[in-house]
């Protein structure tokens, strides 16, 4: 049997709600094991989570994707006895290939206060043995290349070296629901993942222009689901043409074609807000990053968001494209995102790059005020309002 020590970060600080977060985390780790056909036992003891399994390698690969886990380590268990601890620590140091080119330190946590030696003394003795046998240099600072961790508990000691990073964040499902606007591109899957990382149950909505684009989005959702233990993503796919059609017609009637991209985003957000109401979600999510493309300038983001009835989360707003791409590679969505570039069939000749809420209001007032598009064409208002748009 192998044993894994799972560390969590922030949720240990959650005061009275701590039990709730712990419960979710344990449940999600168990769901992760089940989804990956791994047999294992999960339990909690003194601010730590443990996982016992015979499939250690598979468990490491899967559990490192569970949100809320900050890092994990395979541990070796020996009797709480100085000789046994020293022997196993040395074996671990060799396994981690410590030699004269590398630095290390020993960190002891003594949960059993009746153990005859105090922590600094255990650290000193074991450190000396490892240094003598491997030639590695002790370094007590943060810069040490390897840390040998030892936890002494009643009757047994746990020894670990490798720390495999997890995603951190909060347990999935601990923060309520969001509707995420998922395109087939690179950015929005990363935005969804970041919201999942902060504990949100994500409902993906996609406006599709072709079966190929739908398939690409489905494969992105499948990849995201490999991180989704505690809430499966089920995409809602709508026809982009159907949702946008009436607005396009109306824009044409008012000679507002240059506004197409901005109205397209507004229509998608309005539709997503409707879905959010139906599904009990509190916010919308997009993959916008400030200034990345013309529709993502600050003034255009204001226009796009104006009047939308739900808060809009934009977790990528401060990230550079390279940072977003790095994240996409790490979570596995990069490849499915670049499979096909789906060009937008609604793109107008000269899309507006700078608009304003004042101009939007004027245009909306005309569109609302006119009895019918044909009548509106007779008015001189549209030309005036759009002249400097
Ligand atoms: P992405 O890489 O996510 O496609 P992008 O940089 O190409 O983003 P835009 O095409 O301007 O930017 O889209 C901005 C955001 O609007 C997207 O991140 C996504 O949240 C949403 N969005 C765009 N197109 C669609 C679509 N067809 N279906 C659902 N959401 C969409
Ligand atoms: Mg896009």
């Amino acid at each position: 049997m192998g044993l894994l020590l799972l560390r969590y970060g922030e949720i240990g600080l959650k005061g009275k709600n701590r039990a709730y977060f712990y419960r979710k985390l344990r449940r999600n780790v168990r769901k992760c094991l089940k989804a990956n056909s791994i047999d294992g036992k999960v339990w909690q003891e003194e601010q730590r989570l443990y996982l016992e399994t015979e499939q250690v390698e598979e468990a490491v690969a899967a559990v490192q994707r569970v949100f809320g886990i900050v890092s994990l380590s395979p541990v070796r268990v020996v009797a709480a006895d100085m000789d046994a601890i020293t022997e196993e620590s040395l074996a671990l140091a060799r396994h981690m290939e410590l030699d004269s080119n590398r630095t290390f330190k020993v960190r002891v946590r003594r949960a059993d206060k009746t153990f005859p030696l105090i922590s600094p003394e255990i650290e000193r003795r074991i450190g000396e043995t490892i240094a003598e046998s491997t030639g590695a240099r002790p370094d007590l600072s943060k810069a040490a290349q390897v840390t040998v961790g030892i936890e002494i508990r009643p009757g047994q000691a746990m020894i670990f070296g490798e720390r495999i990073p997890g995603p951190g964040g909060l347990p999935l499902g601990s923060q309520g629901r969001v509707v995420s606007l998922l395109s087939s591109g690179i950015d929005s899957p990363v935005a969804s993942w970041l919201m999942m990382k902060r504990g949100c149950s994500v409902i993906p909505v996609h406006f599709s222009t072709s079966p190929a684009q739908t398939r690409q989005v489905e494969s992105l959702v499948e990849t995201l689901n490999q991180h989704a233990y505690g809430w499966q993503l089920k995409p809602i796919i709508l026809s982009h043409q159907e949702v946008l059609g009436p607005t396009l017609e109306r824009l044409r009637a008012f000679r507002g074609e240059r506004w197409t991209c901005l109205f397209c985003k507004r229509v998608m957000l309005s539709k997503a807000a409707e879905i959010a109401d139906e599904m009990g979600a509190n916010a919308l999510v997009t993959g916008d990053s400030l200034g990345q493309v013309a529709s993502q300038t600050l003034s255009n983001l204001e226009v796009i968001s104006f009047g939308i009835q739900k808060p809009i989360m934009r977790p990528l707003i401060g990230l550079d494209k390279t940072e977003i791409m790095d994240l996409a590679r790490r979570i596995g969505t990069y490849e499915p995102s670049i499979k096909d570039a789906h060009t937008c069939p609604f793109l107008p000749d000269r899309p507006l790059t700078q608009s304003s809420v004042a101009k939007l209001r004027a245009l909306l007032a005309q569109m609302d005020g006119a009895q019918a598009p044909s009548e509106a064409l007779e008015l001189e208002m549209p030309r005036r309002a759009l002249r400097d748009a």
Side-chain angles (χ1 to χ4, degrees):
M1 269 295 178
L3 188 64
L4 291 174
L5 167 61
L6 314 179
R7 300 182 191 84
Y8 42 79
E10 225 170 293
I11 69 167
L13 306 170
K14 293 270 173 227
K16 283 199 194 113
N17 290 333
R18 228 182 312 181
Y20 165 77
F21 286 94
Y22 288 161
R23 206 163 43 241
K24 281 249 185 253
L25 184 62
R26 286 196 301 270
R27 208 193 58 176
N28 291 355
V29 171
R30 288 187 187 116
K31 287 197 167 165
C32 166
L33 296 178
K34 190 152 182 245
N36 291 282
S37 316
I38 298 166
D39 281 327
K41 202 178 122 208
V42 179
W43 74 97
Q44 190 168 9
E45 241 176 81
E46 292 184 25
Q47 307 286 310
R48 295 266 201 253
L49 215 57
Y50 294 97
L51 162 58
E52 194 178 52
T53 176
E54 275 175 9
Q55 297 151 276
V56 173
E57 242 170 75
E58 292 98 318
V60 167
V63 173
Q64 65 179 298
R65 295 193 299 267
V66 174
F67 298 109
I69 301 288
V70 169
S71 71
L72 51 140
S73 298
V75 300
R76 301 160 177 229
V77 182
V78 295
D81 159 281
M82 228 10 223
D83 287 342
I85 294 171
T86 308
E87 189 183 323
E88 199 56 46
S89 302
L90 195 54
L92 178 71
R94 295 217 168 94
H95 175 76
M96 295 187 74
E97 298 176 345
L98 272 180
D99 61 24
S100 57
N101 296 317
R102 305 184 73 199
T103 59
F104 78 102
K105 68 170 171 237
V106 180
R107 267 272 157 276
V108 172
R109 204 167 145 251
R110 200 174 52 126
D112 175 12
K113 300 295 178 203
T114 65
F115 193 78
L117 297 176
I118 56 168
S119 301
E121 182 59 18
I122 308 170
E123 286 171 2
R124 195 185 59 74
R125 291 196 192 182
I126 294 185
E128 266 175 23
T129 309
I130 292 177
E132 272 167 26
S133 313
T134 65
R137 283 167 290 131
D139 177 356
L140 302 185
S141 78
K142 270 201 154 109
Q145 288 161 316
V146 169
T147 299
V148 175
I150 301 172
E151 279 198 31
I152 300 177
R153 346 188 27 174
Q156 55 173 212
M158 296 186 172
I159 298 159
F160 46 89
E162 204 181 359
R163 270 174 193 252
I164 300 145
L170 301 174
L172 188 59
S174 66
Q175 297 296 315
R177 295 180 186 176
V178 293
V179 168
S180 188
L181 284 89
L182 192 64
S183 76
S184 50
I186 295 172
D187 303 324
S188 43
V190 177
S192 295
W193 182 85
L194 283 171
M195 295 307 291
M196 288 157 70
K197 176 172 181 272
R198 290 308 295 175
C200 289
S201 305
V202 166
I203 302 162
V205 172
H206 173 66
F207 301 89
S208 177
T209 50
S210 71
Q213 192 180 23
T214 300
R215 278 196 297 279
Q216 187 153 321
V217 166
E218 282 168 348
S219 96
L220 282 166
V221 169
E222 215 172 283
T223 305
L224 287 172
N225 268 330
Q226 289 165 15
H227 303 260
Y229 304 113
W231 172 270
Q232 283 286 110
L233 282 73
K234 297 192 188 87
I236 297 173
I237 311 250
L238 302 170
S239 155
H240 203 163
Q241 172 65 48
E242 249 169 59
V243 175
L244 187 58
T247 303
L248 282 183
E249 238 168 69
R250 221 156 154 68
L251 275 179
R252 229 171 275 134
F254 285 86
R255 297 186 192 148
E257 287 93 337
R258 294 191 66 198
W259 286 79
T260 301
C261 298
L262 296 171
F263 271 72
C264 168
K265 299 276 149 55
R266 290 177 55 75
V267 167
M268 289 197 287
L269 285 170
S270 309
K271 187 72 197 168
E274 252 175 55
I275 295 173
D277 268 338
E278 283 163 22
M279 310 213 34
N282 300 108
L284 312 178
V285 181
T286 72
D288 296 308
S289 156
L290 192 58
Q292 191 191 86
V293 291
S295 61
Q296 295 168 24
T297 60
L298 200 51
S299 57
N300 281 350
L301 288 179
E302 188 188 9
V303 167
I304 289 168
S305 318
F306 179 75
I308 301 296
Q309 298 299 313
K310 291 275 170 192
I312 304 168
M313 312 270 128
R314 296 182 163 101
L316 307 183
I317 202 72
L319 298 188
D320 295 347
K321 191 74 190 186
T322 50
E323 293 172 301
I324 299 170
M325 281 160 46
D326 285 348
L327 270 174
R329 286 196 189 91
R330 197 180 115 200
I331 65 185
T333 53
Y334 184 77
E335 288 301 325
S337 283
I338 58 163
K339 188 166 178 284
D340 285 313
H342 298 276
T343 45
C344 177
F346 310 110
L347 198 63
D349 278 344
R350 289 162 48 241
L352 276 187
T353 52
Q354 285 299 331
S355 62
S356 70
V357 166
K359 289 173 195 165
L360 173 73
R361 275 181 193 273
L363 178 57
L364 289 176
Q366 289 161 35
M367 290 166 85
D368 288 347
Q371 297 300 308
S374 58
E375 195 179 314
L377 282 175
E378 310 298 324
L379 304 171
E380 49 111 29
M381 255 162 48
R383 260 163 285 145
R384 186 156 46 91
L386 296 174
R387 194 179 44 206
D388 43 9

